[in-house]
């Protein structure tokens, strides 16, 4: 079961945010590891609302046994519902899934 949480912006720096946004953009982070979540939480000037999309059964060391299709479908549903503006994955497998989701949502 996909889990989601939001790490809200704690600042709005127009120099960091693309033109045309008058509020923090919604960015979905795909399968972030605990280390990345911790680093993001420590950011003093977050200009984006990060939507952390995780899955308890995902293991960075064993992506082959992960049900990627089920996760991607759940992530697509979530991203459509929350109207995310961008998708990102920190590591190889999450980045590949982020690319698939981005393409399906027709995001830049």
């Amino acid at each position: 079961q996909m889990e989601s949480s939001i790490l809200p912006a704690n600042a709005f720096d127009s120099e960091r945010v693309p033109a045309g946004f008058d509020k923090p953009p919604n960015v979905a982070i795909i399968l972030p590891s605990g280390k990345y979540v911790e680093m993001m939480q420590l950011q003093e000037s977050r200009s984006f609302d990060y939507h952390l999309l995780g899955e308890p059964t995902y293991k960075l060391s064993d992506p082959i046994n992960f049900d990627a299709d089920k996760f991607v479908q759940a992530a697509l549903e979530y991203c459509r519902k929350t109207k995310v503006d961008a998708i990102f994955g920190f590591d190889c497998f999450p980045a590949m899934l982020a690319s698939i989701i981005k393409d399906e949502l027709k995001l830049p």
Side-chain angles (χ1 to χ4, degrees), residues 2 4 26 51 73-84 105:
M2 188 188 82
S4 64
N26 291 314
H51 295 252
Q73 288 305 314
L76 282 167
E77 184 178 316
Y78 178 91
C79 291
R80 285 183 178 118
K81 179 179 162 189
T82 58
K83 298 185 173 132
V84 299
L105 296 174

Side-chain angles (χ1 to χ4, degrees), residues 24-64:
N26 291 314
V27 179
I29 308 296
I30 303 301
L31 300 172
S33 69
K35 179 177 178 153
Y36 289 119
V37 172
E38 182 182 330
M39 289 188 315
M40 292 167 68
Q41 289 170 333
L42 294 174
Q43 273 185 301
E44 293 182 15
S45 296
R46 272 191 313 275
S47 294
F48 302 88
D49 286 335
Y50 293 121
H51 295 252
L52 309 176
L53 306 183
E55 167 63 61
T57 63
Y58 173 69
K59 293 180 178 69
L60 181 63
S61 61
D62 189 20
I64 298 300

